[in-house]
Amino acid sequence: MKKTVLLVVISSFLIKSYAGEGMWLPLFLKSLNEAEMQELGMKLSAEDIYSVNRGSLKDAIVHFGGFCTSELISPDGLMLTNHHCGYGQIQSHSSLTNNYLKDGFWAKTRQDELRNEGLTATMINEIVDVTIQALEGVTDKMNLKERQAQIDKNLEAIKNSLIRADHQDIAIRPFFHGNQYFAFLTTTYRDVRLVGAPPESIGKFGADTDNWVWPRHTGDFSLFRIYAGPDNMPADPADENIPYKPKHFLPISLDGVDTDDFTMVFGFPGRTQEYLPSQALEEIVSDLNPTKINIREKALNILDKYMRKDEATRIKYASKFARIANYWKKWIGESQGLVKSKAIDKKKQFEKEFTDLLPKNSSYRHILPEFDQLYKERAPYAIVRDNYNEIAGRNIELMRLVGISVRLASTFENNGAEAYEGYKSRVLGFLENFYKDYDPAIDQEIFAALTDHYAQNVSDRYVPSELKSLGSHVPKNYSMLAEDIYGATSMTSREKMMAMLEGSPEEVIARIKADPAYKLGAEWKAIYDKEVQEPYNAINHKMDSLQRIYMAALMETFPERRFYPDANSTLRVTYGQVKGYQPTDAVNYSPVTYLDGVIEKYKPGDYEFDVDAKLLELYHKKDYGDYVDKKNGKLPVCFIGTNHTTGGNSGSPAIDAYGNLIGLNFDRAWEGTMSDLNYDPTICRNIMVDVRYILFVVDKYAGAGHLIDEMKLVRPKIRLKKKPKIQRAGRETNKLGEQPRKR
Ligand code: ARG
Ligand code: ASP
């Protein structure tokens, strides 16, 4: 099914720029990137990175739970990802007596490795360009509905025509805003166990204060293992499963990095929007980011207050807090970066350049004015939408329970008893975990603060009656309202909720509908669905279509440019170099941090910057083993590079010129957090843990040398004469990387 790319005009003339920008499809590395990558020092071929016919680097790259990346690092299915990616799992195995968040966890034997309900590991078997088939019969004359119907029909046909094995899944995704389509054949493993995690004082060192910030000193890693059935194929979690045998795993280099070294990050970036018009950035900076930041700040302050008071609460809410805080901080950085880099002016300048290049009678001339119109039309809905989603959809947890209840009732009413039972069993599964990490008193306080916020910030017509203030002279008392609702609802208690869900569907639904939280939440949702979501979607639909046309227009207007598709949680390669940057005038950041920096930040007893005795002892004895940086006798901790990454790239391997693992991607540097919208090569940097720090922690700190024994350690810089070959499936021939090291 090899098809020529429809719209990208691949010019042999590659724009010389600062290496870094771009999240590239593995399928086109040969034509678009190989030459540049080799110029930057890479010794591999495109085929070594992505091949369908033989083992290649891609076989070691795993989509972790669908939200992070991980990589195989041993012939026994051992997998490396971030501490913050495995955080939910580590937390769910933790209690006050077995506090793995605080103390870390290291399975002594394979029997001690911990199962994780619902956690998956997905590998990409093959990527197929199906653009021509997907767009067959689609014409410019079609309206949006007709167009989508034709495409849906085509995608169904493609799925049926692609030959696949029993265990394989197929997903077809649009790229370049619907100008191209690719099919992904994947295999998903369902038995993924926790093997090891450092304590938070290492894995989350610096916590939220250091999050999104360079210089960084976090050992943000954890280890998992994939288990398979006796045939090495996916199997349901079971004791008799055996460690998965990968087609390829990454050797680990002990040679470390130097400034300007080639680096490649291979993983599953989630979402970027690099081709938005300037109006979109204006809306984000002036309305949407501030709205979300404000709401989260209110919720975080309340959570923080309770978590500091009580260790059990801290464990319960640790994962939730981290998730809310992460994007709260990111949006702040993003807005600052967009302003400081004058991103809006630059976009406008670019749009002028684009318009000037269009022929007088070009049909593309309508695009930018139409965007202007549509963004104006959508603006009032967009802001209510963000308010509602943040408040009712996320931060007030009781309203999420109401959302589920609404759906349960409508499932019965619209789809009957069988569908109802199916959904109900999913609800019960969700509730099982929900109450374990839920404290109604905290939620009640958040409810009071955020319903107040909603009523003050959103036009009255979108506010449910119970939340409306009683006129300017008699402001509503939201704390009292919260007390009433939380006092009377059955949803905040596991026992009461379970009792409410017992009996026939009719009985259950009657009880649910009489619940005071339901009454408020259902009205709120009904108003939102009808008055906000519906008009928003209608306009948004037109914008999506316009964005597709704009994307095509850009590619036609700038044929000499190399375009890369926005991230969409599919496998991508990004590459660059190890490099520092200048965050502000007269300040230079160098690209590597050391354990000495951990000690400089050390605040005894502090919940973010504490260091434990064992690590201090190793530091004072300089007991770094083979993991030391030979140049200066120090232990490296993190480094930065010009690789273009985003959320979802966490846990991605940083790979050297020869295909060995040198680091573990986990974050971006503050000044460049706007890279999802406006990549600026001078200041956008990704942050990686140096793999030597990971090995040091596993070996010296945790005494888990048996895990090191599984890995393959190499020293490629010491003698590299000829081009190394990728390790082939099941063969012990000349392996990728160099020089296996004896322990
Ligand atoms: N900022 C990184 C990423 O977006 C790491 C987040 C985890 N750490 C935290 N303190 N929440 O995921
Ligand atoms: N920390 C992010 C993640 O979890 C990575 C990033 O946004 O740079 O995927």
Side-chain angles (χ1 to χ4, degrees):
M1 291 189 96
K2 282 229 171 76
K3 293 281 144 46
T4 43
V5 188
L6 250 196
L7 282 152
V8 198
V9 184
I10 301 161
S11 156
S12 56
F13 166 67
L14 301 180
I15 293 187
K16 266 258 125 324
S17 64
Y18 214 63
E21 177 160 11
M23 302 172 161
W24 305 96
L25 275 162
L27 210 51
F28 299 132
L29 289 179
K30 178 106 201 133
S31 51
L32 287 177
N33 313 97
E34 189 185 59
E36 186 187 49
M37 293 170 91
Q38 290 175 345
E39 216 171 288
L40 287 168
M42 184 180 78
K43 307 293 181 211
L44 305 167
S45 68
E47 178 88 359
D48 290 332
I49 299 170
Y50 174 84
S51 170
V52 187
N53 305 316
R54 59 179 179 86
S56 58
L57 290 185
K58 82 136 175 32
D59 297 314
I61 314 301
V62 181
H63 209 176
F64 182 85
F67 55 86
C68 271
T69 306
S70 54
E71 52 278 357
L72 290 152
I73 53 168
S74 96
D76 284 339
L78 187 64
M79 214 167 54
L80 180 66
T81 189
N82 290 139
H83 184 268
H84 80 261
C85 293
Y87 202 70
Q89 282 74 32
I90 303 166
Q91 186 228 344
S92 76
H93 294 297
S94 293
S95 61
L96 282 174
T97 41
N98 277 329
N99 196 340
Y100 301 141
L101 289 178
K102 189 157 169 288
D103 306 323
F105 169 78
W106 304 97
K108 293 254 164 345
T109 69
R110 298 219 171 140
Q111 280 68 45
D112 300 324
E113 297 175 358
L114 299 173
R115 276 206 221 155
N116 301 288
E117 174 104 35
L119 182 63
T120 55
T122 299
M123 282 149 230
I124 305 297
N125 306 123
E126 190 174 352
I127 308 174
V128 188
D129 184 351
V130 295
T131 304
I132 289 177
Q133 297 88 327
L135 295 177
E136 204 168 278
V138 172
T139 66
D140 290 345
K141 307 229 154 36
M142 290 177 157
N143 67 32
L144 294 184
K145 232 195 182 130
E146 291 162 350
R147 185 176 199 278
Q148 196 53 52
Q150 179 66 39
I151 291 175
D152 289 344
K153 201 174 98 198
N154 292 345
L155 298 189
E156 245 345 272
I158 298 170
K159 278 190 186 163
N160 293 331
S161 72
L162 281 171
I163 298 165
R164 60 174 159 143
D166 284 347
H167 61 268
Q168 279 181 330
D169 298 309
I170 299 183
I172 304 176
R173 311 293 302 274
F175 286 72
F176 292 112
H177 298 274
N179 285 293
Q180 295 179 20
Y181 284 81
F182 292 86
F184 294 79
L185 291 162
T186 61
T187 303
T188 295
Y189 286 80
R190 305 184 293 275
D191 191 346
V192 183
R193 303 185 196 167
L194 177 64
V195 175
E200 278 185 308
S201 59
I202 291 174
K204 208 185 167 180
F205 182 75
D208 292 302
T209 300
D210 269 10
N211 193 17
W212 300 108
V213 168
W214 184 256
R216 187 66 153 276
H217 299 86
T218 315
D220 194 344
F221 80 95
S222 60
L223 292 162
F224 287 79
R225 191 186 306 280
I226 303 178
Y227 281 79
D231 54 357
N232 207 31
M233 287 298 147
D236 285 331
D239 287 343
E240 59 275 17
N241 287 345
I242 51 171
Y244 166 70
K245 298 277 174 214
K247 257 169 113 180
H248 180 65
F249 64 90
L250 299 176
I252 300 176
S253 165
L254 284 175
D255 280 349
V257 296
D258 296 297
T259 295
D260 291 340
D261 274 0
F262 171 84
T263 56
M264 160 165 78
V265 173
F266 204 177
F268 294 88
R271 181 169 141 95
T272 58
Q273 299 170 283
E274 308 287 352
Y275 306 104
L276 290 175
S278 55
Q279 293 89 343
L281 297 197
E282 269 169 345
E283 184 179 52
I284 289 168
V285 172
S286 41
D287 296 335
L288 303 185
N289 276 358
T291 296
K292 296 186 288 187
I293 292 164
N294 268 331
I295 293 168
R296 288 204 177 187
E297 206 150 278
K298 289 186 172 157
L300 287 168
N301 284 337
I302 295 169
L303 290 174
D304 186 60
K305 187 178 75 186
Y306 283 95
M307 287 168 73
R308 278 176 196 274
K309 272 203 294 229
D310 176 45
E311 180 65 14
T313 307
R314 202 189 69 84
I315 297 175
K316 268 191 190 177
Y317 276 82
S319 185
K320 268 183 228 173
F321 184 93
R323 225 173 308 136
I324 301 169
N326 192 33
Y327 266 64
W328 161 75
K329 192 165 178 185
K330 179 186 157 189
W331 291 320
I332 297 174
E334 182 175 88
S335 288
Q336 283 180 10
L338 289 172
V339 171
K340 189 170 173 198
S341 67
K342 300 197 168 51
I344 296 168
D345 289 347
K346 281 187 195 152
K347 278 261 185 208
K348 285 187 175 155
Q349 184 56 42
F350 172 76
E351 284 162 5
K352 184 173 178 305
E353 200 184 315
F354 163 74
T355 311
D356 289 348
L357 282 169
L358 291 177
K360 276 273 165 307
N361 56 355
S362 166
S363 67
Y364 291 145
R365 283 193 173 271
H366 73 101
I367 297 174
L368 292 169
E370 204 172 310
F371 265 132
D372 207 45
Q373 183 57 34
L374 289 170
Y375 272 96
K376 280 201 186 91
E377 268 176 49
R378 201 191 66 172
Y381 305 111
I383 198 154
V384 186
R385 179 174 176 266
D386 273 3
N387 269 287
Y388 180 83
N389 285 339
E390 279 295 318
I391 291 173
R394 176 185 279 274
N395 287 297
I396 302 178
E397 293 190 85
L398 178 57
M399 289 300 122
R400 294 179 57 192
L401 295 176
V402 171
I404 290 170
S405 308
V406 170
R407 179 149 166 216
L408 189 64
S410 71
T411 302
F412 179 66
E413 283 151 10
N414 302 330
N415 306 322
E418 200 179 315
Y420 166 89
E421 291 302 339
Y423 185 59
K424 188 177 151 186
S425 72
R426 279 169 52 203
V427 170
L428 292 176
F430 168 83
L431 293 176
E432 202 44 56
N433 291 314
F434 176 84
Y435 290 105
K436 192 162 80 62
D437 295 332
Y438 179 68
D439 180 340
I442 299 177
D443 198 31
Q444 181 178 327
E445 199 168 323
I446 292 178
F447 175 98
L450 296 188
T451 46
D452 191 354
H453 180 98
Y454 189 84
Q456 304 315 320
N457 286 278
V458 165
S459 149
D460 242 16
R461 53 189 282 227
Y462 306 122
V463 180
S465 47
E466 254 188 294
L467 297 186
K468 278 193 185 136
S469 58
L470 315 167
S472 53
H473 302 296
V474 197
K476 183 124 195 153
N477 186 329
Y478 291 89
S479 298
M480 256 158 68
L481 175 70
E483 216 175 298
D484 288 349
I485 290 183
Y486 281 72
T489 180
S490 297
M491 296 189 184
T492 52
S493 131
R494 179 201 299 267
E495 291 67 37
K496 288 188 196 162
M497 182 72 167
M498 293 304 172
M500 190 151 75
L501 292 173
E502 253 161 46
S504 70
E506 289 83 358
E507 288 166 338
V508 170
I509 290 166
R511 273 186 231 120
I512 284 178
K513 288 192 172 175
D515 190 279
Y518 182 95
K519 284 185 185 156
L520 165 64
E523 187 201 346
W524 198 354
K525 181 167 164 21
I527 297 173
Y528 173 77
D529 285 350
K530 180 103 191 60
E531 305 289 327
V532 183
Q533 191 65 30
E534 220 172 83
Y536 177 93
N537 283 351
I539 302 164
N540 211 42
H541 206 54
K542 293 188 204 158
M543 278 164 115
D544 284 346
S545 149
L546 194 61
Q547 187 73 49
R548 167 175 52 80
I549 298 166
Y550 183 41
M551 189 76 236
L554 291 177
M555 289 165 129
E556 275 174 46
T557 309
F558 300 98
E560 79 290 357
R561 283 197 194 182
R562 265 184 318 170
F563 285 92
Y564 59 94
D566 269 323
N568 58 358
S569 292
T570 59
L571 185 63
R572 304 294 179 89
V573 172
T574 163
Y575 53 90
Q577 289 167 297
V578 175
K579 240 186 229 313
Y581 69 106
Q582 196 171 18
T584 50
D585 189 31
V587 177
N588 275 309
Y589 282 158
S590 52
V592 182
T593 59
Y594 296 94
L595 190 59
D596 309 62
V598 173
I599 306 305
E600 281 170 13
K601 286 178 177 175
Y602 171 38
K603 284 192 216 148
D606 184 85
Y607 84 107
E608 295 188 302
F609 292 99
D610 206 0
V611 177
D612 79 355
K614 176 80 194 186
L615 190 60
L616 286 172
E617 182 195 319
L618 290 164
Y619 170 75
H620 289 303
K621 289 194 185 145
K622 301 282 173 281
D623 186 1
Y624 302 153
D626 272 350
Y627 313 117
V628 69
D629 190 330
K630 297 247 161 39
K631 294 189 295 288
N632 52 27
K634 299 200 276 189
L635 182 70
V637 174
C638 294
F639 65 97
I640 50 175
T642 60
N643 309 287
H644 186 182
T645 55
T646 187
N649 265 128
S650 272
S652 300
I655 296 172
D656 70 4
Y658 317 105
N660 304 309
L661 185 74
I662 46 174
L664 180 65
N665 185 72
F666 72 102
D667 208 1
R668 278 170 283 166
W670 185 243
E671 294 75 10
T673 45
M674 66 1 180
S675 67
D676 294 345
L677 301 166
N678 175 52
Y679 185 89
D680 180 341
T682 60
I683 51 166
C684 288
R685 293 291 178 273
N686 70 312
I687 309 181
M688 297 154 275
V689 194
D690 193 305
V691 78
R692 292 169 297 176
Y693 189 51
I694 295 174
L695 297 177
F696 162 85
V697 172
V698 172
D699 187 356
K700 293 280 175 180
Y701 172 86
H706 59 286
L707 296 174
I708 308 271
D709 291 338
E710 277 186 52
M711 305 171 192
K712 183 175 160 219
L713 307 183
V714 296
R715 289 216 172 263
K717 281 186 183 170
I718 291 178
R719 36 166 161 139
L720 201 105
K721 299 257 147 51
K722 56 182 194 300
K723 201 176 128 199
K725 279 274 166 294
I726 287 271
Q727 182 188 3
R728 302 279 299 270
R731 275 203 232 159
E732 283 296 307
T733 49
N734 185 13
K735 290 179 182 160
L736 187 73
E738 283 280 293
Q739 282 282 42
R741 161 189 164 275
K742 288 265 164 304
R743 283 192 85 246

